Every structure is written in structure tokens, then in C-alpha cells.
């Protein structure tokens, strides 16, 4: 997942969610929140010259701080966006 401001700074275009069409996540305090949007890929994330992963999608969250979170599901090849 990535926050809205970081996605916009990186020039990543996203589709704004209508309701919880892209799923939900649990925020601090055990509050369940729908994702803000979805970026459709392919999106390449390069860690160094030898480590690059390609994501088919990236979920967007409305968060007050810069955030890029890649979970084990992404690193194992991903799962359906909803």
C-alpha cells in the first residue's frame, strides 16, 4: 500500500474507490477502513540494481504520513485486488 500524497508525488495515477470496492484494512485502534483507491500496474519497485519487483496493482490509503508498505503477499507474487 502507498499513501495518497506519495502516490501523487511519484506521478502514480490511481482510481478512487467507491465505498469498499478495493477492500478494507485495519488501522491503529482496530478501526476497519476502506482503501482510498487502487493503482493498476504494472508498477516496478527497484530496491537496488539487482532487486526489482513488478506489482500488478498497489492499494492507496489516505494517511497523514509518507507510507509505502509491501507485505509478504506482494513479495510472493500478489493476490487479487479485492
Amino acid at each position: 500500500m502507498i499513501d495518497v500524497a506519495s502516490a501523487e508525488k511519484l506521478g502514480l495515477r490511481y482510481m478512487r474507490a467507491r465505498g469498499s470496492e478495493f477492500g478494507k484494512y485495519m488501522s491503529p485502534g482496530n478501526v476497519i477502513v476502506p482503501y482510498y483507491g487502487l493503482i493498476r500496474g504494472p508498477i516496478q519497485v527497484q530496491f537496488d540494481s539487482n532487486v526489482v519487483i513488478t506489482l500488478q496493482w498497489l492499494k492507496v490509503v489516505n494517511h497523514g504520513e509518507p507510507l509505502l508498505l509491501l507485505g509478504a503477499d506482494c513479495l510472493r507474487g500478489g493476490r487479487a485486488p479485492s
Side-chain angles (χ1 to χ4, degrees):
M1 70 175 68
I2 189 170
D3 69 286
V4 173
S6 295
E8 290 174 353
K9 284 181 184 177
L10 292 169
L12 298 171
R13 300 175 69 110
Y14 58 88
M15 295 174 23
R16 179 99 186 256
R18 291 171 290 183
S20 59
E21 71 177 311
F22 301 130
K24 299 177 184 178
Y25 65 98
M26 188 171 297
S27 69
N30 296 325
V31 177
I32 298 173
V33 181
Y35 286 100
Y36 187 82
L38 181 75
I39 300 167
R40 295 206 186 272
I43 305 157
Q44 287 196 329
V45 179
Q46 184 168 349
F47 294 99
D48 71 16
S49 60
N50 296 317
V51 180
V52 178
I53 63 171
T54 301
L55 304 173
Q56 297 306 310
W57 51 266
L58 188 57
K59 292 185 179 181
V60 180
V61 296
N62 192 5
H63 192 272
E65 298 292 329
L67 174 72
L68 175 62
L69 178 63
L70 300 176
D73 57 333
C74 289
L75 300 174
R76 284 193 314 261
R79 61 180 181 199
S82 59

